[in-house]
Amino acid sequence: EAEVAQSPRYKITEKSQAVAFWCDPISGHATLYWYRQILGQGPELLVQFQDESVVDDSQLPKDRFSAERLKGVDSTLKIQPAELGDSAMYLCASSLDRDRATEAFFGQGTRLTVV
Amino acid sequence: AQSVTQLGSHVSVSEGALVLLRCNYSSSVPPYLFWYVQYPNQGLQLLLKYTSAATLVKGINGFEAEFKKSETSFHLTKPSAHMSDAAEYFCAAYSSASKIIFGSGTRLSIRP
């Protein structure tokens, strides 16, 4: 069964360091999402791609976060510099397209701890 | 503002009892609704989705949800809880901006 792949599963980094997460969506899925989930809360959308284009990054803290999806396939989310408040689960998801009836499939997530 | 509201951050039921998890959505949200389940340190797994084909939607693991437009609700139910149902459950919806917005989640505990 096709899955969304994310790496690493866990990451511990020191404050002010750079950190990067990688996501490989299900083959053929045009839409890719990055969500941040703080413990005890629902996922919050950080950025949404349609193919290689960003269609929504309104909640992405652009002073320290960046995301790219070169060639419209896999994607990288970067934080530089990391802050203590960035500790959270970072979830990647993909869907066939922006059709509203299409559900998103999620990866296992990356648990980030900033110390 | 478009929103999804889950009533009750924590629900506890006995094994074998009815599970009812409540979800209300704002009327400005298009009626494309989802329930996801999340186990500790895992991603989200789709339980079921409503896409206007039928108001009663059946999902995996014996769960179902009923769409009620008049109440702007999409509650999740399961007739008989099993220990393996213990997890976090999220209601979600497509916003008019074609992005998925989530409720704050309900943690389901099962008592032996």
Side-chain angles (χ1 to χ4, degrees):
Chain A
E1 182 177 304
E3 295 182 342
V4 175
Q6 286 189 252
S7 66
R9 285 294 310 280
Y10 302 92
K11 180 69 177 179
I12 300 174
T13 191
E14 293 184 347
K15 187 176 62 172
S16 80
Q17 294 299 303
V19 64
F21 314 128
W22 177 80
C23 172
D24 191 13
I26 293 173
S27 178
H29 280 197
T31 304
L32 185 146
Y33 311 84
W34 282 102
Y35 284 88
R36 177 172 60 187
Q37 185 181 22
I38 295 170
L39 194 63
Q41 299 183 19
E44 173 195 16
L45 181 68
L46 291 175
V47 61
Q48 179 178 345
F49 290 91
Q50 180 70 15
D51 299 311
E52 67 276 8
S53 300
V54 173
V55 296
D56 189 333
D57 63 357
S58 57
Q59 300 303 311
L60 188 72
K62 298 180 187 64
D63 57 336
R64 297 185 301 108
F65 285 65
S66 64
E68 61 182 15
R69 192 184 183 197
L70 301 176
K71 301 181 181 179
V73 182
D74 59 337
S75 176
T76 302
L77 178 69
K78 297 179 181 177
I79 308 174
Q80 182 174 18
E83 295 181 353
L84 295 177
D86 296 331
S87 294
M89 175 78 92
Y90 289 83
L91 295 164
C92 180
S94 69
S95 63
L96 275 173
D97 56 33
R98 295 178 70 187
D99 182 337
R100 294 176 175 183
T102 304
E103 67 270 30
F105 296 84
F106 283 81
Q108 298 279 58
T110 295
R111 169 74 66 188
L112 173 67
T113 303
V114 182
V115 298
Chain B
Q2 300 172 335
S3 65
V4 173
T5 303
Q6 292 185 241
L7 301 176
S9 60
H10 182 210
V11 170
S12 179
V13 302
S14 298
E15 191 174 18
L18 172 71
V19 174
L20 171 61
L21 305 182
R22 301 177 187 274
C23 172
N24 288 88
Y25 61 93
S26 59
S27 59
S28 59
V29 171
Y32 295 97
L33 301 162
F34 310 91
W35 275 100
Y36 284 86
V37 61
Q38 185 179 34
Y39 298 98
N41 284 316
Q42 298 291 319
L44 279 69
Q45 179 184 7
L46 182 72
L47 277 177
L48 49 80
K49 65 179 180 180
Y50 170 75
T51 56
S52 75
T55 56
L56 184 62
V57 182
K58 294 187 183 299
I60 62 172
N61 302 337
F63 284 93
E64 61 182 35
E66 186 173 10
F67 172 74
K68 292 187 177 180
K69 185 176 180 179
S70 61
E71 300 177 5
T72 60
S73 70
F74 189 57
H75 301 333
L76 181 71
T77 60
K78 181 174 182 178
S80 177
H82 191 273
M83 295 300 291
S84 62
D85 294 327
E88 189 89 17
Y89 291 80
F90 293 95
C91 183
Y94 259 100
S95 72
S96 58
S98 296
K99 63 182 183 182
I100 302 175
I101 56 175
F102 286 84
S104 56
T106 298
R107 182 164 61 91
L108 176 64
S109 299
I110 312 297
R111 301 186 301 270

